[in-house]
Amino acid sequence: MHELSLVHSLLELIDEQAAEHGFSRVNLVKLSCGRISGVEPQALKFAFSNTIPGTLCAGARLELDILPLKIHCFDCDREIYSNNADPTTCPDCGGSRVMVCSGFEELQLVELDVD
Amino acid sequence: MQIKVVKNILDASRRIAAENRALFDQHGIYVINLMSSPGAGKTSLVENTIRTLQNDFGIGVIEGDIQDSYDAERIGRLGVPVVQINTGGACHLDGNMIRETFTNFDFAAIDLLIVENVGNLVCPAEFEIGENAKVMLLSTPEGADKPAKYPLMFAESKVLLINKIDLAPYVDFDLDKARRDALAINPDLEIFEISCKTGTGLEQWLEWLRQKIASVKKR
């Protein structure tokens, strides 16, 4: 719901990087976030493409790497990567004696390709 | 040219939150960020909390709503300082909005600041405002599936209050599932079962809060 404000924060961060590294054009922006971080990829891409005209990022591509949801299932007694959006159910045995190990990582700027 | 960056996008808003927090720490104020769906009973909880603690502690309240000042009027009747923030459509409070209320409070007279966030199970979890603890309120009529469906709220909270526990038998609330799923997401979560209507369980919540306020209190 606040992907637009995430994009504004992202563009500020890129402006800081531009001042530090002295570039004037961004070709590619690589981001990452956890599977259940709450970031909605489609909304983020839409907000990005609508915000970048007239900025350093005009025409830039956005890549979003979604980090997997990993849970520990106490019944299977192992860690399992899950494509299931529900982090409280084991994708293998369907059991609910689980613990979330990762997937909440917040949105990060990982890499820029610039001129 | 490739530049490796690795920076959190929300760092700017987190910096503001950290500045707010430093100010609260300096004044010995414990701050809770109260989050829930609309209608879960946040304002009733705030009223109950104020009534019991206001003889022992100075309390201030910030009410966040998209519009209207109904909640602030309810809290104002209890005689504590309260500021209403109308976000005008925004779905959560952020550190900047909180900062703008500071001129309305005498921090020297406040030990506990309660921030009642906009009713929403998604966005408030993603923003820090300078709080010591996010406190999540889940009411039994909403259903026990909420931790599984809105995991970030439960991951970010220190306390889960399961409110309207008196209604649990009537709305088929599966308490075991709610507890199990919430703890799968956040094993450190403190869970209290309460009813703002009957008063059930409120003493345990208030005792938790008293201890936290005392741990940062100025005098």
Side-chain angles (χ1 to χ4, degrees):
Chain A
M1 264 173 107
H2 53 268
E3 275 72 8
L4 196 57
S5 68
L6 287 176
V7 169
H8 284 296
S9 299
L10 170 65
L11 293 181
E12 281 171 23
L13 197 54
I14 292 173
D15 280 343
E16 286 170 19
Q17 292 293 312
E20 190 179 320
H21 297 280
F23 56 81
S24 57
R25 191 186 138 88
V26 178
N27 305 312
L28 173 67
V29 178
K30 280 192 184 175
L31 307 177
S32 74
C33 70
R35 175 86 170 75
I36 50 175
S37 64
V39 175
E40 168 53 38
Q42 288 308 322
L44 185 73
K45 284 176 182 168
F46 180 76
F48 183 76
S49 63
N50 278 279
T51 310
I52 55 175
T55 74
L56 284 178
C57 292
R61 255 184 334 118
L62 184 70
E63 277 182 20
L64 177 60
D65 183 19
I66 297 178
L67 307 171
L69 168 60
K70 190 166 75 177
I71 62 164
H72 182 91
C73 176
F74 292 97
D75 291 325
C76 302
D77 196 25
R78 64 188 184 92
E79 290 187 353
I80 302 164
Y81 288 102
S82 173
N83 287 318
N84 200 337
D86 172 2
T88 62
T89 304
C90 172
D92 274 7
C93 73
S96 51
R97 296 204 319 126
V98 301
M99 188 178 74
V100 177
C101 303
S102 66
F104 284 116
E105 295 86 351
E106 69 180 62
L107 191 64
Q108 276 197 333
L109 173 58
V110 179
E111 193 182 312
L112 294 170
D113 184 85
V114 300
D115 293 325
Chain B
M1 176 173 68
Q2 311 240 308
I3 300 176
K4 300 274 183 203
V5 189
V6 190
K7 285 207 166 170
N8 289 337
I9 305 296
L10 286 172
D11 271 358
S13 72
R14 192 153 300 142
R15 197 159 53 231
I16 293 166
E19 287 167 14
N20 290 352
R21 176 64 182 279
L23 195 67
F24 297 142
D25 285 349
Q26 188 190 325
H27 287 89
I29 299 172
Y30 193 79
V31 182
I32 62 170
N33 179 358
L34 186 59
M35 316 183 297
S36 80
S37 315
K42 289 188 295 303
T43 311
S44 297
L45 178 75
V46 175
E47 287 174 326
N48 274 291
T49 301
I50 291 170
R51 283 198 196 100
T52 311
L53 297 186
Q54 75 184 140
N55 291 332
D56 301 328
F57 303 105
I59 303 175
V61 178
I62 298 173
E63 287 287 340
D65 283 292
I66 288 182
Q67 61 179 36
D68 208 334
S69 57
Y70 180 71
D71 285 354
E73 285 158 20
R74 275 174 70 179
I75 300 305
R77 285 197 276 277
L78 299 175
V80 300
V82 55
V83 176
Q84 176 80 51
I85 299 177
N86 282 138
T87 61
C91 49
H92 61 272
L93 297 177
D94 65 27
N96 247 335
M97 298 181 204
I98 298 300
R99 176 175 299 189
E100 284 168 12
T101 69
F102 288 174
T103 52
N104 297 282
F105 291 108
D106 172 13
F107 279 170
I110 292 181
D111 307 305
L112 170 67
L113 181 64
I114 302 173
V115 180
E116 183 180 333
N117 218 312
V118 180
N120 178 338
L121 277 190
V122 186
C123 311
E126 296 172 45
F127 290 84
E128 289 177 18
I129 56 173
E131 70 273 53
N132 294 83
K134 284 188 166 79
V135 173
M136 157 96 211
L137 193 61
L138 170 67
S139 64
T140 56
E142 294 169 66
D145 56 357
K146 292 300 167 290
K149 286 185 174 171
Y150 301 89
L152 192 66
M153 291 288 281
F154 297 84
E156 293 293 324
S157 296
K158 287 205 171 113
V159 176
L160 168 61
L161 299 169
I162 303 181
N163 191 27
K164 308 188 190 179
I165 200 71
D166 51 318
L167 295 183
Y170 307 103
V171 294
D172 296 330
F173 185 78
D174 186 343
L175 189 58
D176 287 343
K177 176 178 168 56
R179 278 184 164 273
R180 189 177 59 225
D181 287 358
L183 290 171
I185 292 159
N186 181 354
D188 299 325
L189 197 60
E190 298 252 16
I191 304 178
F192 301 105
E193 295 162 21
I194 65 167
S195 166
C196 291
K197 184 92 175 171
T198 66
T200 304
L202 283 175
E203 195 40 54
Q204 286 89 324
W205 149 247
L206 292 167
E207 187 49 37
W208 181 90
L209 193 54
R210 277 178 208 276
Q211 287 183 15
K212 295 297 179 186
I213 300 167
S215 71
V216 302
K217 200 169 182 298
K218 49 189 144 283
R219 42 182 191 275

